[in-house]
Amino acid sequence: MNTARVMAVIPHRRPALLVDRIVTVEPRRRLVAQKAVTVAEPAYGRLGEDPADEHLAYPFGTLLESWAQCAVALACWEEPNPEVGKGKVVLLSQVRDARTLAPVYPGSVLVHEVTVVRDVGDTYLVTGRSTVDGVTVLEIGQVTLALRTADALTAAAAATVPTTDERS
């Protein structure tokens, strides 16, 4: 399943979309996806013309975000949400025991694996890892994802914004 299919499931778009294709999906159970790391990505935009190797390592935050987008795709698979302001929004509420085991460099193809540990209606506990050429580069102990309606989030946000009278 190509990038167009990924964008039909989750609201992320270029340059923030960090999933290229979904290889396998077992709804509510497991997902495997790929991401090709290239030097043309925004993470490398501020590097000079001849950066040292250690500066070319894919940033941890970007690596984690790429894996998390795969977790979002799994959570939304049966109810796609390509528009963040409508339908159910996936909130990443907790990340536990995430660690990198090896650097990732441009030219690598990440294989992200996400597995549901527990499905509690519209809250998922997931775990997983990312590999490059069969070598684990990222391990995720647990991530908690909560699906909430956009309307409920908008109402909750409006309730926390002070009125003009409350500000004075």
Side-chain angles (χ1 to χ4, degrees):
M1 291 161 246
N2 62 18
T3 305
R5 176 65 171 125
V6 174
M7 292 191 310
V9 176
I10 64 176
H12 303 78
R13 298 293 179 265
R14 289 187 49 227
L17 179 64
L18 299 172
V19 181
D20 294 328
R21 71 188 283 257
I22 295 173
V23 178
T24 304
V25 65
E26 298 171 41
R28 303 178 82 90
R29 297 194 60 206
R30 184 172 176 269
L31 180 136
V32 177
Q34 294 177 333
K35 162 67 176 133
V37 177
T38 73
V39 76
E41 294 188 48
Y44 298 116
R46 60 180 167 248
L47 297 179
E49 288 197 24
D50 192 21
D53 283 349
E54 63 267 13
H55 294 130
L56 289 172
Y58 206 49
F60 173 73
T62 309
L63 177 60
L64 182 60
E65 171 67 19
S66 181
W67 182 90
Q69 287 181 18
C70 296
V72 169
L74 180 57
C76 292
W77 194 259
E78 294 181 310
E79 292 182 57
N81 183 22
E83 295 183 49
V84 75
K86 298 178 181 179
K88 288 193 177 179
V89 177
V90 180
L91 305 172
L92 189 144
S93 62
Q94 182 182 44
V95 177
R96 289 183 33 198
D97 302 323
R99 62 189 183 124
T100 55
L101 302 173
V104 176
Y105 294 102
S108 300
V109 175
L110 288 161
V111 177
H112 297 303
E113 300 173 24
V114 181
T115 304
V116 174
V117 174
R118 191 163 180 208
D119 174 353
V120 189
D122 52 0
T123 300
Y124 291 89
L125 302 179
V126 296
T127 189
R129 69 186 186 136
S130 299
T131 61
V132 172
D133 296 328
V135 176
T136 302
V137 297
L138 174 71
E139 286 183 342
I140 306 292
Q142 182 177 299
V143 167
T144 305
L145 301 170
L147 282 75
R148 301 295 182 259
T149 65
D151 292 342
L153 294 173
T154 302
T160 62
V161 175
T163 64
T164 304
D165 294 337
E166 291 172 335
R167 283 186 242 150
S168 34

